[in-house]
Amino acid sequence: MPRRDKLVQGSQIVIRVAHIANRTFLAAVVAGLLLSWPLARLYTDFLAQSIPGPDIPSALTGCRLLLVIGIVMSVATETLLAALANIVASLTAGDPFLGANAGRLRTIGWSLLVLQLLEIAAGLLRKYFPEMGSAAPDGGISITGWIAVLMVFVLSRVYIAGSVMRDELDGTV
């Protein structure tokens, strides 16, 4: 029996909106990166006005690296959202305890891990490209983010064990 409660319906809406926002972000970041070469003069002029310091070429390199981090972040987020949408769809269908959802949770775990590693990369970017000034992200390590990664991988194992137990129970009836 399909289940349509307000949490599930709200989750579906949030996931759809997040997909749209993430894809829009990805398109903008890819465009910004690709245009940073033919419009390098425009970029350097903008950087010269907004970032104090004489090393504008280094700041431009840092900005390009930041855009690459944004692309990887967006791809990881898209992967996470797709897996989450499939889990919510299985909940809507009334059968969320599937072996496939264990794999989807594992995918979410890997996506979260990539996002955590990108935070570290962003912090390194700030350290090695100080010319970027306030344009560089803080980055760093989030304890709650790392706990979320661990939690999702553990839940994936729980789903695997639960689906095996359910299959064994179905076989005995």
Side-chain angles (χ1 to χ4, degrees):
M1 169 193 271
R3 184 177 171 170
R4 300 288 294 175
D5 63 22
K6 296 207 182 289
L7 176 65
V8 173
Q9 290 173 339
S11 297
Q12 289 173 323
I13 292 167
V14 168
I15 292 168
R16 279 190 211 116
V17 170
H19 265 297
I20 293 166
N22 187 58
R23 289 173 183 161
T24 303
F25 173 79
L26 178 60
V29 172
V30 167
L33 181 62
L34 293 176
L35 291 173
S36 74
W37 281 279
L39 301 178
R41 178 70 181 176
L42 180 68
Y43 278 56
T44 55
D45 289 347
F46 175 76
L47 288 172
Q49 291 176 356
S50 58
I51 298 175
D55 199 0
I56 299 304
S58 182
L60 180 58
T61 300
C63 288
R64 285 177 176 150
L65 290 172
L66 182 60
L67 290 168
V68 170
I69 288 173
I71 291 168
V72 177
M73 180 186 76
S74 184
V75 170
T77 302
E78 186 68 24
T79 302
L80 183 152
L81 290 171
L84 185 58
N86 286 329
I87 290 173
V88 171
S90 71
L91 179 60
T92 301
D95 195 12
F97 295 104
L98 304 170
N101 279 347
R104 292 173 182 138
L105 280 169
R106 215 172 18 258
T107 298
I108 291 171
W110 284 110
S111 297
L112 289 172
L113 178 63
V114 167
L115 292 170
Q116 289 305 304
L117 293 172
L118 288 171
E119 284 291 324
I120 295 170
L124 292 172
L125 191 66
R126 183 179 196 83
K127 178 180 179 181
Y128 291 107
F129 291 90
E131 304 81 17
M132 292 176 64
S134 63
D138 288 335
I141 296 175
S142 164
I143 298 300
T144 55
W146 285 100
I147 290 172
V149 170
L150 178 62
M151 179 183 65
V152 171
F153 279 120
V154 168
L155 284 174
S156 171
R157 294 293 178 117
V158 169
Y159 261 72
I160 290 170
S163 67
V164 167
M165 288 171 34
R166 189 181 84 179
D167 291 346
E168 288 174 356
L169 183 62
D170 287 344
T172 60
V173 174

